[in-house]
């Protein structure tokens, strides 16, 4: 585990064309300031992200922007459902993800990286392995958008194939990098997916739409300990195969 300095957390990319700087300064922020993000800024970064590639230019994304009272209302509803599951785990059967984000069976090295991430994050926060209450509270931070002023929900038409999820990933990354160019941070969140039956009608999605993920967006809280956590990366040489 490595830590970010406060200057790295708050870095505003001076040159929006500096793609490397935007990529290298991006991390999943888990604490945000209440400072609002102007609608014009959000509209512009979504405009830029719309240039993401997609197979035969299908552009399979739909974006729902949540702010203010409507965001807060959804947060309360999902947190209540999350709390209810904690009290009665059998209720979890009522909430199903519509696609498998994670594998049914974990194997190395993926399970090792997952554990390193989880232990590292909880270690920074001082949450022990058996502390269910603190773990529950930290997990619920997802459903509060980590206090970000902007929550995004992304959907896709269920008729689309798995390749469109590849397209979607490029679109999401484009949003996150465009956000960095404007001094903003993000946290992409698959945690919302299990509550899609609550979220989709709330945001006014059509019956043919499936929830892909959520995302918190705003200005990172530099003073928050959780934002000093940064995941490691394997060296490029370990996954690169030169065919000559």
């Amino acid at each position: 585990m490595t830590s970010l300095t406060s200057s790295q957390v708050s870095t505003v990319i001076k040159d929006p064309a500096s793609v490397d700087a935007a990529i290298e300064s991006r991390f999943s922020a888990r604490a945000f300031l209440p400072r609002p993000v102007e609608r014009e800024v959000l509209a512009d970064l979504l405009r830029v992200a719309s240039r993401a590639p997609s197979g035969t230019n299908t552009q399979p994304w739909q974006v729902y922007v949540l702010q203010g009272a409507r965001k807060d209302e959804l947060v309360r509803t999902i947190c209540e459902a999350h709390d209810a599951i904690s009290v009665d785990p059998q209720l979890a059967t009522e909430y199903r993800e519509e696609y498998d984000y994670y594998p049914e069976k974990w194997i190395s090295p993926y399970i090792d990286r997952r554990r390193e991430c989880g232990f590292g994050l909880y270690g920074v926060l001082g949450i022990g392995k058996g502390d269910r209450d603190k773990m529950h509270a930290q997990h619920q931070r997802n459903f509060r958008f980590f206090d970000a002023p902007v929550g995004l929900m992304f959907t896709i038409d269920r008729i689309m194939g798995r390749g469109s999820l590849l397209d979607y990933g490029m679109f999401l990354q484009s949003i996150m990098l465009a956000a960095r160019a404007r001094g903003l941070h993000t946290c992409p969140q698959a945690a919302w997916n299990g509550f899609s039956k609550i979220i989709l009608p709330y945001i006014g999605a059509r019956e043919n739409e499936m929830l892909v993920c959520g995302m918190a967006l705003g200005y990172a809280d530099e003073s928050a300990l959780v934002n000093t956590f940064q995941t490691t990366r394997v060296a490029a040489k370990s996954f690169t195969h030169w065919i000559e």
Side-chain angles (χ1 to χ4, degrees), residues 100-200:
D100 296 328
Y101 186 86
Y102 292 114
E104 290 185 8
K105 181 180 179 181
W106 286 95
I107 61 172
S108 184
Y110 315 113
I111 186 62
D112 307 316
R113 295 168 184 166
R114 177 181 172 86
R115 286 170 176 163
E116 179 189 26
C117 180
F119 292 152
L121 175 61
Y122 283 2
V124 165
L125 295 173
I127 300 175
K129 185 176 181 181
D131 197 333
R132 292 185 67 255
D133 290 342
K134 287 185 178 180
M135 291 174 69
H136 176 78
Q138 180 57 35
H139 188 218
Q140 192 168 102
R141 294 282 296 151
N142 279 280
F143 307 127
R144 299 180 185 279
F145 290 108
F146 301 107
D147 297 327
V150 181
L152 304 173
M153 291 293 172
F154 302 94
T155 69
I156 190 171
D157 195 314
R158 289 186 178 90
I159 200 172
M160 302 305 286
R162 285 185 292 178
S164 289
L165 290 177
L166 175 65
D167 300 337
Y168 227 116
M170 293 184 279
F171 175 64
L172 294 171
Q173 176 76 335
S174 295
I175 289 175
M176 291 186 282
L177 298 186
R180 286 303 302 124
R182 291 156 178 78
L184 298 162
H185 271 291
T186 55
C187 186
Q189 302 170 277
W192 294 94
N193 294 2
F195 294 103
S196 62
K197 79 172 191 178
I198 296 175
I199 296 167
L200 292 174

Side-chain angles (χ1 to χ4, degrees), residues 41-52:
V41 173
L42 294 170
D44 193 52
L45 70 85
L46 289 170
R47 176 191 63 80
V48 171
S50 73
R51 296 302 305 173

Side-chain angles (χ1 to χ4, degrees), residues 1-5 8 27 30 112-127 225-234:
M1 183 196 75
T2 57
S3 296
L4 295 173
T5 65
Q8 286 175 303
F27 69 97
R30 293 179 175 86
D112 307 316
R113 295 168 184 166
R114 177 181 172 86
R115 286 170 176 163
E116 179 189 26
C117 180
F119 292 152
L121 175 61
Y122 283 2
V124 165
L125 295 173
I127 300 175
L225 183 62
V226 70
N227 280 340
T228 66
F229 172 70
Q230 185 181 38
T231 52
T232 60
R233 292 293 186 272
V234 298

